[in-house]
Amino acid sequence: MHEPSVTQSREPLSASKLQAELVDVSAAPVSELRVLAETGSTNAELMEWATAGAPDYAVVTASHQTAGQGRLGRSFEGAPGSVLPVSMVFSTEGVSPEQWSLISLLAGLAVADTLRETCGLAPELKWPNDVLVDGRKICGILTQAANTKQGTALVVGIGINVAMTEAELPVPHATSVLLAGGTTLDRNDIAVALIRALRHRQNLWRDGNVTELLAEYREKCTTLGAEVRAELPGDKVIVGKAEDINDGGSLIVRDAAGGKHVVTAGDVQHLRRSDGSYAEPAGKDPQNQPRGKDLPPEGLA
């Protein structure tokens, strides 16, 4: 049995509320919206729709996702109503291909905005595609490229653990808005805030204001300053200190011999701290010393 607030939070998404707040408004952040009762994957739905002609800023979300997609072909499923899956499509027209990979980072910032402002949490970012609260994963992000009649479009998929209980967590290092003590479990409100934040961040990316985006991402990224182990294709392993994120969104790792390695999100298969842990608790530096929230992570170039 779940508490009444949890049970209520797992009710189906309100298509009418989301339509009214995201589409039927002036300066609407969404061009067209599909709210599904159930789907295998919102990203798969939107990839198919984008190929068939979905407009820029189209969104797919669902009350229940049975085969959510993660990086490297991983899949997952949460209890009905416990997870918020949202996928949104962005045209790449006018954006340099070198900056396409930054969209996953800006999506992470949008999730952080939402969790902080709507749910009252203190999120941090783990490069390249995770959002953490108290050192535990609360959200994953997957970006895929779709070939459309207008050219390449990027489909950004986001899955936020909202009302998952401890027993429902897929892995020990996960958490949810519920478990983290969030101020709301209303998936409709969280979806509205998330999509608005995505459009705001995307506007900066499309306008070429990547310096601002990257500076903020570096500030919130707990990977920077940590000793990490990056596993790459071909059994290649890089161990060293995560020093920076370059203008293309790749991680710069310096090994013990002083060599610098550029690790791209597309290549990395696993990224963990070199001691095997997933992440340090929020507010700690890699040596477990308290870190002021207004200071950049240790090692930021």
Side-chain angles (χ1 to χ4, degrees):
M1 293 289 291
H2 299 302
E3 296 179 6
S5 60
V6 175
T7 301
Q8 184 177 5
S9 74
R10 295 189 177 194
E11 293 179 354
L13 291 169
S14 171
S16 60
K17 175 182 174 66
L18 295 177
Q19 178 75 21
E21 297 195 30
L22 293 171
V23 182
D24 300 337
V25 291
S26 60
V30 175
S31 59
E32 193 171 338
L33 173 68
R34 292 182 179 178
V35 181
L36 308 176
E38 181 177 305
T39 186
S41 161
T42 57
N43 249 39
E45 291 275 356
L46 189 48
M47 285 287 288
E48 182 177 350
W49 186 14
T51 302
D56 202 13
Y57 310 129
V59 167
V60 174
T61 186
S63 295
H64 182 42
Q65 182 173 247
T66 61
Q69 297 180 344
R71 294 180 66 249
L72 306 175
R74 303 182 185 106
S75 64
F76 55 89
E77 177 181 5
S82 67
V83 177
L84 174 64
V86 172
S87 296
M88 191 170 193
V89 64
F90 300 98
S91 165
T92 59
E93 184 178 358
V95 180
S96 167
E98 291 76 21
Q99 296 182 348
W100 290 0
S101 60
L102 295 179
I103 200 160
S104 291
L105 305 190
L106 73 87
L109 287 169
V111 173
D113 294 340
T114 302
L115 294 176
R116 181 179 62 254
E117 297 168 10
T118 304
C119 302
L121 300 176
E124 294 182 316
L125 303 170
K126 175 179 177 287
W127 185 92
N129 66 322
D130 292 344
V131 182
L132 315 178
V133 172
D134 296 328
R136 301 170 71 183
K137 180 175 177 177
I138 198 168
C139 171
I141 298 164
L142 174 68
T143 299
Q144 296 176 294
N147 294 319
T148 74
K149 297 175 182 177
Q150 291 74 37
T152 302
L154 301 178
V155 173
V156 180
I158 295 170
I160 300 177
N161 298 337
V162 177
M164 276 189 171
T165 64
E166 194 77 39
E168 294 169 336
L169 295 176
V171 289
H173 58 257
T175 189
S176 67
V177 176
L178 168 68
L179 295 173
T183 55
T184 182
L185 299 178
D186 189 320
R187 297 181 348 274
N188 296 295
D189 289 345
I190 296 172
V192 170
L194 172 62
I195 291 165
R196 287 175 176 167
L198 266 174
R199 276 301 308 270
H200 169 67
R201 294 293 185 175
Q202 180 271 165
N203 289 341
L204 294 174
W205 170 75
R206 193 178 294 280
D207 292 343
N209 297 323
V210 297
T211 300
E212 177 183 341
L213 287 169
L214 283 168
E216 190 172 355
Y217 189 91
R218 292 182 182 112
E219 182 180 350
K220 290 180 169 63
C221 182
T222 60
T223 306
L224 292 178
E227 294 292 328
V228 299
R229 174 187 172 90
E231 299 178 13
L232 305 175
D235 296 325
K236 183 179 180 180
V237 175
I238 297 172
V239 177
K241 186 174 183 177
E243 286 197 337
D244 198 4
I245 295 168
N246 67 18
D247 290 348
S250 298
L251 186 68
I252 308 300
V253 178
R254 185 184 295 274
D255 63 30
K260 279 191 174 184
H261 305 267
V262 178
V263 180
T264 67
D267 285 340
V268 68
Q269 295 178 333
H270 295 283
L271 184 78
R272 292 287 188 272
R273 291 177 184 264
S274 56
D275 63 4
S277 64
Y278 186 77
E280 294 293 345
K284 299 292 186 82
D285 74 8
Q287 287 73 43
N288 288 322
Q289 298 299 315
R291 186 181 73 227
K293 289 295 182 180
D294 58 342
L295 298 177
E298 179 185 354
L300 179 58

